[in-house]
Amino acid sequence: MVINKWIRRKRNSMGYGVQSPNDFHFVQHVLREKLPYYAYSTLKEFSRDLSHHHPSNPAAIDQLLFRLANHVHPRLMIEVGAGTSALALSLACPTARCVAITEDDALNSSIWEHATRDLQIEVKTGDEMGIFHQLLHEHQKIGMLHIAHTSRYREIVEAALPHVTDDTLIVIEGIRESKEKTVWWEALLESPSTVICYDLGNVGLLFFDRSRHKNTYWINLKKLV
């Protein structure tokens, strides 16, 4: 089983085995895109300013989130367990509503407010699940959901699934940070609730387009492992 998965990962990471032209384009020009986007320098500057006040994600994660949001163009983006990655999401889609949910008061610091003054980011501090349920009740449908640094990942996905559409993207960080989370992630790949899934090593992507046949790709993005 482990050997077979490694073979599939190696094959798919080179682009082979991706039969759909749309999926191949997504792998080559979103996941594995190496050209710098216009906002990378801004992201780097923000992360440097915020790193003394709040833990920030590796640049590769923020850049991936930027490319993903730029690709799907959601109207509503939610980050739960917020770090600084809401900056990447909002820079990619500046006209979209971006809500960062966190239990960490550090995101309300003056340095964060200065960095986000020109972006449409709302920081909501408090009970993650309570705030998330409130947003779901308000909007009903999710555009893009980023599950970052939170122990409530299982509950969040369960609450989100009734609110996904064919265009929804869920991004889950740390899918191999513990044995329990890895087992949960692998069960999610087999679930009929998910359609097109990407396992990037330590980051997972879930798409829900019901017109597609269910498929999972293992893509080796070295900077994310």
Side-chain angles (χ1 to χ4, degrees):
M1 178 66 178
V2 174
I3 294 176
N4 287 340
K5 183 177 291 188
W6 181 85
I7 292 172
R8 282 181 289 177
R9 179 190 298 241
K10 183 176 180 180
R11 183 185 64 204
N12 289 340
S13 70
M14 296 297 293
Y16 301 103
V18 183
Q19 298 179 359
S20 164
N22 288 336
D23 293 346
F24 183 80
H25 182 274
F26 178 73
V27 171
Q28 294 297 100
H29 299 289
V30 179
L31 298 185
R32 301 180 67 198
E33 179 60 74
K34 295 180 181 179
L35 294 176
Y37 279 74
Y38 61 89
Y40 283 3
S41 58
T42 305
L43 268 176
K44 183 178 180 180
E45 180 182 345
F46 282 165
S47 297
R48 183 183 65 244
D49 292 343
L50 290 166
S51 61
H52 300 295
H53 301 266
H54 193 280
S56 58
N57 265 343
I61 297 288
D62 283 345
Q63 291 172 7
L64 172 65
L65 288 166
F66 177 91
R67 297 196 302 274
L68 289 170
N70 187 65
H71 176 73
V72 299
H73 288 290
R75 293 184 178 180
L76 172 66
M77 300 177 289
I78 303 174
E79 179 174 86
V80 184
T84 59
S85 294
L87 291 166
L89 299 177
S90 191
L91 281 169
C93 299
T95 60
R97 183 183 183 189
C98 181
V99 183
I101 304 173
T102 180
E103 296 179 348
D104 187 349
D105 289 333
L107 280 188
N108 290 320
S109 67
S110 59
I111 191 74
W112 170 267
E113 293 175 359
H114 173 74
T116 61
R117 66 186 183 277
D118 297 323
L119 301 174
Q120 301 297 319
I121 301 177
E122 304 169 38
V123 178
K124 294 183 178 292
T125 305
D127 175 58
E128 290 174 343
M129 288 308 303
I131 297 171
F132 187 58
H133 279 296
Q134 183 180 0
L135 284 171
L136 293 178
H137 177 74
E138 179 182 348
H139 288 275
Q140 294 301 313
K141 302 301 180 183
I142 298 173
M144 182 173 176
L145 170 62
H146 173 220
I147 302 174
H149 314 289
T150 175
S151 61
R152 311 291 291 275
Y153 58 87
R154 187 190 301 266
E155 300 165 74
I156 293 163
V157 170
E158 289 176 356
L161 287 177
H163 299 271
V164 302
T165 71
D166 288 351
D167 299 318
T168 298
L169 167 60
I170 295 180
V171 183
I172 306 172
E173 280 194 57
I175 57 175
R176 289 189 172 78
E177 64 186 8
S178 69
K179 182 177 181 180
E180 178 184 8
K181 195 169 184 179
T182 300
V183 170
W184 167 78
W185 164 250
E186 292 183 348
L188 198 56
L189 296 179
E190 302 298 327
S191 169
S193 299
T194 60
V195 182
I196 304 297
C197 310
Y198 292 86
D199 186 318
L200 308 182
N202 201 36
V203 176
L205 312 180
L206 303 175
F207 290 92
F208 302 88
D209 186 350
R210 297 300 173 190
S211 68
R212 302 286 307 280
H213 294 293
K214 185 174 177 62
N215 208 343
T216 297
Y217 300 114
W218 284 267
I219 310 297
N220 187 4
L221 296 184
K222 294 181 180 179
K223 291 183 178 181
L224 303 183
V225 178

PDB file of all heavy atoms in Angstrom, residues 144-176:
ATOM      1  N   MET A 144     -14.041  29.488  -0.579  1.00  0.00           N
ATOM      2  CA  MET A 144     -12.750  28.869  -0.265  1.00  0.00           C
ATOM      3  C   MET A 144     -12.576  28.857   1.240  1.00  0.00           C
ATOM      4  O   MET A 144     -12.786  29.872   1.911  1.00  0.00           O
ATOM      5  CB  MET A 144     -11.611  29.637  -0.926  1.00  0.00           C
ATOM      6  CG  MET A 144     -10.225  29.051  -0.690  1.00  0.00           C
ATOM      7  SD  MET A 144      -8.966  29.917  -1.683  1.00  0.00           S
ATOM      8  CE  MET A 144      -7.467  29.088  -1.104  1.00  0.00           C
ATOM      9  N   LEU A 145     -12.204  27.710   1.756  1.00  0.00           N
ATOM     10  CA  LEU A 145     -11.980  27.532   3.192  1.00  0.00           C
ATOM     11  C   LEU A 145     -10.559  27.046   3.419  1.00  0.00           C
ATOM     12  O   LEU A 145     -10.148  26.026   2.866  1.00  0.00           O
ATOM     13  CB  LEU A 145     -12.983  26.521   3.760  1.00  0.00           C
ATOM     14  CG  LEU A 145     -12.756  26.037   5.195  1.00  0.00           C
ATOM     15  CD1 LEU A 145     -12.844  27.190   6.187  1.00  0.00           C
ATOM     16  CD2 LEU A 145     -13.763  24.935   5.555  1.00  0.00           C
ATOM     17  N   HIS A 146      -9.812  27.798   4.226  1.00  0.00           N
ATOM     18  CA  HIS A 146      -8.451  27.407   4.585  1.00  0.00           C
ATOM     19  C   HIS A 146      -8.443  27.016   6.053  1.00  0.00           C
ATOM     20  O   HIS A 146      -8.694  27.843   6.932  1.00  0.00           O
ATOM     21  CB  HIS A 146      -7.480  28.568   4.339  1.00  0.00           C
ATOM     22  CG  HIS A 146      -6.099  28.302   4.843  1.00  0.00           C
ATOM     23  ND1 HIS A 146      -5.330  29.259   5.481  1.00  0.00           N
ATOM     24  CD2 HIS A 146      -5.343  27.178   4.817  1.00  0.00           C
ATOM     25  CE1 HIS A 146      -4.164  28.742   5.807  1.00  0.00           C
ATOM     26  NE2 HIS A 146      -4.143  27.474   5.418  1.00  0.00           N
ATOM     27  N   ILE A 147      -8.171  25.750   6.323  1.00  0.00           N
ATOM     28  CA  ILE A 147      -8.089  25.243   7.687  1.00  0.00           C
ATOM     29  C   ILE A 147      -6.615  25.226   8.074  1.00  0.00           C
ATOM     30  O   ILE A 147      -5.844  24.383   7.617  1.00  0.00           O
ATOM     31  CB  ILE A 147      -8.715  23.843   7.806  1.00  0.00           C
ATOM     32  CG1 ILE A 147     -10.180  23.902   7.354  1.00  0.00           C
ATOM     33  CG2 ILE A 147      -8.607  23.320   9.232  1.00  0.00           C
ATOM     34  CD1 ILE A 147     -10.856  22.552   7.305  1.00  0.00           C
ATOM     35  N   ALA A 148      -6.239  26.179   8.900  1.00  0.00           N
ATOM     36  CA  ALA A 148      -4.829  26.378   9.220  1.00  0.00           C
ATOM     37  C   ALA A 148      -4.481  25.716  10.547  1.00  0.00           C
ATOM     38  O   ALA A 148      -4.592  24.499  10.695  1.00  0.00           O
ATOM     39  CB  ALA A 148      -4.516  27.871   9.226  1.00  0.00           C
ATOM     40  N   HIS A 149      -4.093  26.513  11.536  1.00  0.00           N
ATOM     41  CA  HIS A 149      -3.556  25.994  12.792  1.00  0.00           C
ATOM     42  C   HIS A 149      -4.682  25.887  13.824  1.00  0.00           C
ATOM     43  O   HIS A 149      -4.892  26.800  14.629  1.00  0.00           O
ATOM     44  CB  HIS A 149      -2.441  26.905  13.293  1.00  0.00           C
ATOM     45  CG  HIS A 149      -1.469  27.273  12.211  1.00  0.00           C
ATOM     46  ND1 HIS A 149      -0.574  26.379  11.676  1.00  0.00           N
ATOM     47  CD2 HIS A 149      -1.276  28.437  11.541  1.00  0.00           C
ATOM     48  CE1 HIS A 149       0.143  26.973  10.744  1.00  0.00           C
ATOM     49  NE2 HIS A 149      -0.267  28.223  10.640  1.00  0.00           N
ATOM     50  N   THR A 150      -5.391  24.773  13.801  1.00  0.00           N
ATOM     51  CA  THR A 150      -6.506  24.564  14.712  1.00  0.00           C
ATOM     52  C   THR A 150      -6.684  23.081  15.006  1.00  0.00           C
ATOM     53  O   THR A 150      -6.467  22.244  14.118  1.00  0.00           O
ATOM     54  CB  THR A 150      -7.822  25.125  14.125  1.00  0.00           C
ATOM     55  OG1 THR A 150      -8.907  24.787  14.988  1.00  0.00           O
ATOM     56  CG2 THR A 150      -8.090  24.564  12.728  1.00  0.00           C
ATOM     57  N   SER A 151      -7.088  22.786  16.221  1.00  0.00           N
ATOM     58  CA  SER A 151      -7.365  21.399  16.597  1.00  0.00           C
ATOM     59  C   SER A 151      -8.787  20.998  16.237  1.00  0.00           C
ATOM     60  O   SER A 151      -9.167  19.836  16.396  1.00  0.00           O
ATOM     61  CB  SER A 151      -7.152  21.218  18.107  1.00  0.00           C
ATOM     62  OG  SER A 151      -8.048  22.065  18.828  1.00  0.00           O
ATOM     63  N   ARG A 152      -9.567  21.947  15.706  1.00  0.00           N
ATOM     64  CA  ARG A 152     -10.978  21.689  15.409  1.00  0.00           C
ATOM     65  C   ARG A 152     -11.200  21.304  13.949  1.00  0.00           C
ATOM     66  O   ARG A 152     -12.316  21.420  13.433  1.00  0.00           O
ATOM     67  CB  ARG A 152     -11.804  22.936  15.748  1.00  0.00           C
ATOM     68  CG  ARG A 152     -11.541  23.541  17.123  1.00  0.00           C
ATOM     69  CD  ARG A 152     -12.033  22.680  18.252  1.00  0.00           C
ATOM     70  NE  ARG A 152     -13.472  22.615  18.302  1.00  0.00           N
ATOM     71  CZ  ARG A 152     -14.243  23.525  18.922  1.00  0.00           C
ATOM     72  NH1 ARG A 152     -13.689  24.590  19.501  1.00  0.00           N
ATOM     73  NH2 ARG A 152     -15.547  23.376  18.960  1.00  0.00           N
ATOM     74  N   TYR A 153     -10.158  20.854  13.267  1.00  0.00           N
ATOM     75  CA  TYR A 153     -10.233  20.581  11.833  1.00  0.00           C
ATOM     76  C   TYR A 153     -11.350  19.612  11.462  1.00  0.00           C
ATOM     77  O   TYR A 153     -12.055  19.804  10.467  1.00  0.00           O
ATOM     78  CB  TYR A 153      -8.880  20.069  11.311  1.00  0.00           C
ATOM     79  CG  TYR A 153      -8.369  18.825  11.992  1.00  0.00           C
ATOM     80  CD1 TYR A 153      -8.737  17.562  11.553  1.00  0.00           C
ATOM     81  CD2 TYR A 153      -7.509  18.914  13.092  1.00  0.00           C
ATOM     82  CE1 TYR A 153      -8.271  16.420  12.175  1.00  0.00           C
ATOM     83  CE2 TYR A 153      -7.035  17.783  13.720  1.00  0.00           C
ATOM     84  CZ  TYR A 153      -7.420  16.534  13.266  1.00  0.00           C
ATOM     85  OH  TYR A 153      -6.962  15.407  13.905  1.00  0.00           O
ATOM     86  N   ARG A 154     -11.522  18.565  12.279  1.00  0.00           N
ATOM     87  CA  ARG A 154     -12.544  17.564  11.963  1.00  0.00           C
ATOM     88  C   ARG A 154     -13.944  18.174  12.025  1.00  0.00           C
ATOM     89  O   ARG A 154     -14.760  17.998  11.106  1.00  0.00           O
ATOM     90  CB  ARG A 154     -12.432  16.391  12.950  1.00  0.00           C
ATOM     91  CG  ARG A 154     -13.340  15.218  12.624  1.00  0.00           C
ATOM     92  CD  ARG A 154     -13.327  14.223  13.781  1.00  0.00           C
ATOM     93  NE  ARG A 154     -11.995  13.724  14.039  1.00  0.00           N
ATOM     94  CZ  ARG A 154     -11.503  12.610  13.522  1.00  0.00           C
ATOM     95  NH1 ARG A 154     -12.252  11.875  12.715  1.00  0.00           N
ATOM     96  NH2 ARG A 154     -10.280  12.216  13.817  1.00  0.00           N
ATOM     97  N   GLU A 155     -14.207  18.920  13.071  1.00  0.00           N
ATOM     98  CA  GLU A 155     -15.523  19.549  13.236  1.00  0.00           C
ATOM     99  C   GLU A 155     -15.781  20.589  12.159  1.00  0.00           C
ATOM    100  O   GLU A 155     -16.911  20.746  11.677  1.00  0.00           O
ATOM    101  CB  GLU A 155     -15.616  20.204  14.613  1.00  0.00           C
ATOM    102  CG  GLU A 155     -15.453  19.244  15.780  1.00  0.00           C
ATOM    103  CD  GLU A 155     -15.189  19.986  17.078  1.00  0.00           C
ATOM    104  OE1 GLU A 155     -16.149  20.576  17.611  1.00  0.00           O
ATOM    105  OE2 GLU A 155     -14.029  20.010  17.529  1.00  0.00           O
ATOM    106  N   ILE A 156     -14.742  21.311  11.782  1.00  0.00           N
ATOM    107  CA  ILE A 156     -14.893  22.352  10.777  1.00  0.00           C
ATOM    108  C   ILE A 156     -15.297  21.756   9.433  1.00  0.00           C
ATOM    109  O   ILE A 156     -16.210  22.246   8.758  1.00  0.00           O
ATOM    110  CB  ILE A 156     -13.594  23.165  10.642  1.00  0.00           C
ATOM    111  CG1 ILE A 156     -13.334  23.957  11.925  1.00  0.00           C
ATOM    112  CG2 ILE A 156     -13.648  24.116   9.448  1.00  0.00           C
ATOM    113  CD1 ILE A 156     -11.924  24.442  12.058  1.00  0.00           C
ATOM    114  N   VAL A 157     -14.622  20.683   9.028  1.00  0.00           N
ATOM    115  CA  VAL A 157     -14.962  20.040   7.755  1.00  0.00           C
ATOM    116  C   VAL A 157     -16.374  19.481   7.795  1.00  0.00           C
ATOM    117  O   VAL A 157     -17.146  19.629   6.833  1.00  0.00           O
ATOM    118  CB  VAL A 157     -13.938  18.944   7.408  1.00  0.00           C
ATOM    119  CG1 VAL A 157     -14.426  18.111   6.217  1.00  0.00           C
ATOM    120  CG2 VAL A 157     -12.581  19.557   7.092  1.00  0.00           C
ATOM    121  N   GLU A 158     -16.755  18.834   8.890  1.00  0.00           N
ATOM    122  CA  GLU A 158     -18.104  18.286   9.012  1.00  0.00           C
ATOM    123  C   GLU A 158     -19.159  19.382   8.894  1.00  0.00           C
ATOM    124  O   GLU A 158     -20.195  19.198   8.245  1.00  0.00           O
ATOM    125  CB  GLU A 158     -18.256  17.548  10.340  1.00  0.00           C
ATOM    126  CG  GLU A 158     -17.483  16.239  10.409  1.00  0.00           C
ATOM    127  CD  GLU A 158     -17.583  15.568  11.773  1.00  0.00           C
ATOM    128  OE1 GLU A 158     -18.198  16.157  12.684  1.00  0.00           O
ATOM    129  OE2 GLU A 158     -17.043  14.454  11.921  1.00  0.00           O
ATOM    130  N   ALA A 159     -18.881  20.540   9.499  1.00  0.00           N
ATOM    131  CA  ALA A 159     -19.828  21.652   9.420  1.00  0.00           C
ATOM    132  C   ALA A 159     -19.855  22.264   8.029  1.00  0.00           C
ATOM    133  O   ALA A 159     -20.898  22.754   7.570  1.00  0.00           O
ATOM    134  CB  ALA A 159     -19.462  22.715  10.452  1.00  0.00           C
ATOM    135  N   ALA A 160     -18.714  22.238   7.330  1.00  0.00           N
ATOM    136  CA  ALA A 160     -18.608  22.892   6.027  1.00  0.00           C
ATOM    137  C   ALA A 160     -19.252  22.090   4.910  1.00  0.00           C
ATOM    138  O   ALA A 160     -19.787  22.678   3.953  1.00  0.00           O
ATOM    139  CB  ALA A 160     -17.136  23.145   5.698  1.00  0.00           C
ATOM    140  N   LEU A 161     -19.208  20.772   4.978  1.00  0.00           N
ATOM    141  CA  LEU A 161     -19.628  19.936   3.851  1.00  0.00           C
ATOM    142  C   LEU A 161     -21.042  20.226   3.344  1.00  0.00           C
ATOM    143  O   LEU A 161     -21.261  20.234   2.122  1.00  0.00           O
ATOM    144  CB  LEU A 161     -19.479  18.453   4.216  1.00  0.00           C
ATOM    145  CG  LEU A 161     -18.043  17.932   4.261  1.00  0.00           C
ATOM    146  CD1 LEU A 161     -18.012  16.477   4.697  1.00  0.00           C
ATOM    147  CD2 LEU A 161     -17.362  18.097   2.901  1.00  0.00           C
ATOM    148  N   PRO A 162     -22.029  20.476   4.207  1.00  0.00           N
ATOM    149  CA  PRO A 162     -23.359  20.792   3.678  1.00  0.00           C
ATOM    150  C   PRO A 162     -23.433  22.136   2.941  1.00  0.00           C
ATOM    151  O   PRO A 162     -24.452  22.441   2.321  1.00  0.00           O
ATOM    152  CB  PRO A 162     -24.238  20.824   4.943  1.00  0.00           C
ATOM    153  CG  PRO A 162     -23.491  20.041   5.967  1.00  0.00           C
ATOM    154  CD  PRO A 162     -22.051  20.329   5.675  1.00  0.00           C
ATOM    155  N   HIS A 163     -22.357  22.913   2.991  1.00  0.00           N
ATOM    156  CA  HIS A 163     -22.374  24.260   2.419  1.00  0.00           C
ATOM    157  C   HIS A 163     -21.430  24.413   1.227  1.00  0.00           C
ATOM    158  O   HIS A 163     -21.191  25.528   0.780  1.00  0.00           O
ATOM    159  CB  HIS A 163     -22.004  25.277   3.502  1.00  0.00           C
ATOM    160  CG  HIS A 163     -22.951  25.299   4.654  1.00  0.00           C
ATOM    161  ND1 HIS A 163     -24.072  26.099   4.697  1.00  0.00           N
ATOM    162  CD2 HIS A 163     -22.942  24.583   5.818  1.00  0.00           C
ATOM    163  CE1 HIS A 163     -24.718  25.892   5.832  1.00  0.00           C
ATOM    164  NE2 HIS A 163     -24.057  24.983   6.529  1.00  0.00           N
ATOM    165  N   VAL A 164     -20.903  23.305   0.712  1.00  0.00           N
ATOM    166  CA  VAL A 164     -20.007  23.394  -0.440  1.00  0.00           C
ATOM    167  C   VAL A 164     -20.822  23.406  -1.729  1.00  0.00           C
ATOM    168  O   VAL A 164     -21.967  22.957  -1.770  1.00  0.00           O
ATOM    169  CB  VAL A 164     -18.990  22.231  -0.471  1.00  0.00           C
ATOM    170  CG1 VAL A 164     -18.157  22.216   0.808  1.00  0.00           C
ATOM    171  CG2 VAL A 164     -19.687  20.890  -0.679  1.00  0.00           C
ATOM    172  N   THR A 165     -20.206  23.940  -2.792  1.00  0.00           N
ATOM    173  CA  THR A 165     -20.788  23.930  -4.133  1.00  0.00           C
ATOM    174  C   THR A 165     -19.781  23.286  -5.084  1.00  0.00           C
ATOM    175  O   THR A 165     -18.677  22.888  -4.672  1.00  0.00           O
ATOM    176  CB  THR A 165     -21.108  25.350  -4.613  1.00  0.00           C
ATOM    177  OG1 THR A 165     -19.871  26.046  -4.891  1.00  0.00           O
ATOM    178  CG2 THR A 165     -21.884  26.127  -3.555  1.00  0.00           C
ATOM    179  N   ASP A 166     -20.140  23.220  -6.365  1.00  0.00           N
ATOM    180  CA  ASP A 166     -19.215  22.672  -7.353  1.00  0.00           C
ATOM    181  C   ASP A 166     -17.926  23.478  -7.448  1.00  0.00           C
ATOM    182  O   ASP A 166     -16.914  22.977  -7.926  1.00  0.00           O
ATOM    183  CB  ASP A 166     -19.876  22.632  -8.736  1.00  0.00           C
ATOM    184  CG  ASP A 166     -20.954  21.562  -8.835  1.00  0.00           C
ATOM    185  OD1 ASP A 166     -21.067  20.742  -7.907  1.00  0.00           O
ATOM    186  OD2 ASP A 166     -21.683  21.558  -9.849  1.00  0.00           O
ATOM    187  N   ASP A 167     -17.971  24.736  -7.003  1.00  0.00           N
ATOM    188  CA  ASP A 167     -16.800  25.618  -7.123  1.00  0.00           C
ATOM    189  C   ASP A 167     -16.001  25.762  -5.827  1.00  0.00           C
ATOM    190  O   ASP A 167     -15.000  26.482  -5.796  1.00  0.00           O
ATOM    191  CB  ASP A 167     -17.255  27.016  -7.565  1.00  0.00           C
ATOM    192  CG  ASP A 167     -17.951  26.992  -8.913  1.00  0.00           C
ATOM    193  OD1 ASP A 167     -17.476  26.276  -9.811  1.00  0.00           O
ATOM    194  OD2 ASP A 167     -18.984  27.681  -9.066  1.00  0.00           O
ATOM    195  N   THR A 168     -16.416  25.087  -4.777  1.00  0.00           N
ATOM    196  CA  THR A 168     -15.759  25.239  -3.466  1.00  0.00           C
ATOM    197  C   THR A 168     -14.394  24.561  -3.438  1.00  0.00           C
ATOM    198  O   THR A 168     -14.207  23.472  -3.994  1.00  0.00           O
ATOM    199  CB  THR A 168     -16.640  24.643  -2.356  1.00  0.00           C
ATOM    200  OG1 THR A 168     -17.879  25.345  -2.308  1.00  0.00           O
ATOM    201  CG2 THR A 168     -15.948  24.751  -0.992  1.00  0.00           C
ATOM    202  N   LEU A 169     -13.456  25.203  -2.771  1.00  0.00           N
ATOM    203  CA  LEU A 169     -12.142  24.617  -2.497  1.00  0.00           C
ATOM    204  C   LEU A 169     -11.897  24.658  -0.996  1.00  0.00           C
ATOM    205  O   LEU A 169     -12.031  25.715  -0.375  1.00  0.00           O
ATOM    206  CB  LEU A 169     -11.040  25.392  -3.227  1.00  0.00           C
ATOM    207  CG  LEU A 169      -9.590  25.101  -2.794  1.00  0.00           C
ATOM    208  CD1 LEU A 169      -9.231  23.637  -3.012  1.00  0.00           C
ATOM    209  CD2 LEU A 169      -8.610  26.017  -3.519  1.00  0.00           C
ATOM    210  N   ILE A 170     -11.526  23.518  -0.426  1.00  0.00           N
ATOM    211  CA  ILE A 170     -11.110  23.445   0.974  1.00  0.00           C
ATOM    212  C   ILE A 170      -9.628  23.082   1.007  1.00  0.00           C
ATOM    213  O   ILE A 170      -9.205  22.100   0.391  1.00  0.00           O
ATOM    214  CB  ILE A 170     -11.929  22.418   1.774  1.00  0.00           C
ATOM    215  CG1 ILE A 170     -13.399  22.852   1.847  1.00  0.00           C
ATOM    216  CG2 ILE A 170     -11.358  22.253   3.186  1.00  0.00           C
ATOM    217  CD1 ILE A 170     -14.283  21.891   2.632  1.00  0.00           C
ATOM    218  N   VAL A 171      -8.845  23.883   1.705  1.00  0.00           N
ATOM    219  CA  VAL A 171      -7.409  23.659   1.866  1.00  0.00           C
ATOM    220  C   VAL A 171      -7.146  23.304   3.322  1.00  0.00           C
ATOM    221  O   VAL A 171      -7.543  24.045   4.228  1.00  0.00           O
ATOM    222  CB  VAL A 171      -6.595  24.916   1.491  1.00  0.00           C
ATOM    223  CG1 VAL A 171      -5.099  24.638   1.593  1.00  0.00           C
ATOM    224  CG2 VAL A 171      -6.971  25.396   0.096  1.00  0.00           C
ATOM    225  N   ILE A 172      -6.476  22.187   3.553  1.00  0.00           N
ATOM    226  CA  ILE A 172      -6.210  21.718   4.917  1.00  0.00           C
ATOM    227  C   ILE A 172      -4.707  21.597   5.119  1.00  0.00           C
ATOM    228  O   ILE A 172      -4.030  20.843   4.422  1.00  0.00           O
ATOM    229  CB  ILE A 172      -6.878  20.357   5.178  1.00  0.00           C
ATOM    230  CG1 ILE A 172      -8.368  20.419   4.850  1.00  0.00           C
ATOM    231  CG2 ILE A 172      -6.667  19.930   6.640  1.00  0.00           C
ATOM    232  CD1 ILE A 172      -9.066  19.068   4.905  1.00  0.00           C
ATOM    233  N   GLU A 173      -4.189  22.337   6.070  1.00  0.00           N
ATOM    234  CA  GLU A 173      -2.762  22.260   6.395  1.00  0.00           C
ATOM    235  C   GLU A 173      -2.495  21.159   7.423  1.00  0.00           C
ATOM    236  O   GLU A 173      -3.372  20.780   8.198  1.00  0.00           O
ATOM    237  CB  GLU A 173      -2.276  23.593   6.967  1.00  0.00           C
ATOM    238  CG  GLU A 173      -1.995  24.657   5.932  1.00  0.00           C
ATOM    239  CD  GLU A 173      -1.205  25.805   6.517  1.00  0.00           C
ATOM    240  OE1 GLU A 173      -0.090  25.558   7.064  1.00  0.00           O
ATOM    241  OE2 GLU A 173      -1.691  26.949   6.454  1.00  0.00           O
ATOM    242  N   GLY A 174      -1.265  20.680   7.430  1.00  0.00           N
ATOM    243  CA  GLY A 174      -0.815  19.750   8.458  1.00  0.00           C
ATOM    244  C   GLY A 174      -1.482  18.398   8.415  1.00  0.00           C
ATOM    245  O   GLY A 174      -1.728  17.789   9.462  1.00  0.00           O
ATOM    246  N   ILE A 175      -1.758  17.868   7.219  1.00  0.00           N
ATOM    247  CA  ILE A 175      -2.484  16.603   7.137  1.00  0.00           C
ATOM    248  C   ILE A 175      -1.654  15.412   7.636  1.00  0.00           C
ATOM    249  O   ILE A 175      -2.204  14.326   7.843  1.00  0.00           O
ATOM    250  CB  ILE A 175      -2.986  16.330   5.705  1.00  0.00           C
ATOM    251  CG1 ILE A 175      -1.831  16.330   4.711  1.00  0.00           C
ATOM    252  CG2 ILE A 175      -4.039  17.359   5.310  1.00  0.00           C
ATOM    253  CD1 ILE A 175      -2.227  15.958   3.287  1.00  0.00           C
ATOM    254  N   ARG A 176      -0.367  15.638   7.843  1.00  0.00           N
ATOM    255  CA  ARG A 176       0.472  14.567   8.396  1.00  0.00           C
ATOM    256  C   ARG A 176       1.214  15.013   9.661  1.00  0.00           C
ATOM    257  O   ARG A 176       2.261  14.481   9.993  1.00  0.00           O
ATOM    258  CB  ARG A 176       1.462  14.074   7.337  1.00  0.00           C
ATOM    259  CG  ARG A 176       0.754  13.285   6.249  1.00  0.00           C
ATOM    260  CD  ARG A 176       1.659  12.583   5.274  1.00  0.00           C
ATOM    261  NE  ARG A 176       0.863  11.728   4.422  1.00  0.00           N
ATOM    262  CZ  ARG A 176       0.135  12.165   3.384  1.00  0.00           C
ATOM    263  NH1 ARG A 176       0.165  13.453   3.071  1.00  0.00           N
ATOM    264  NH2 ARG A 176      -0.588  11.323   2.664  1.00  0.00           N
TER     265      ARG A 176
END
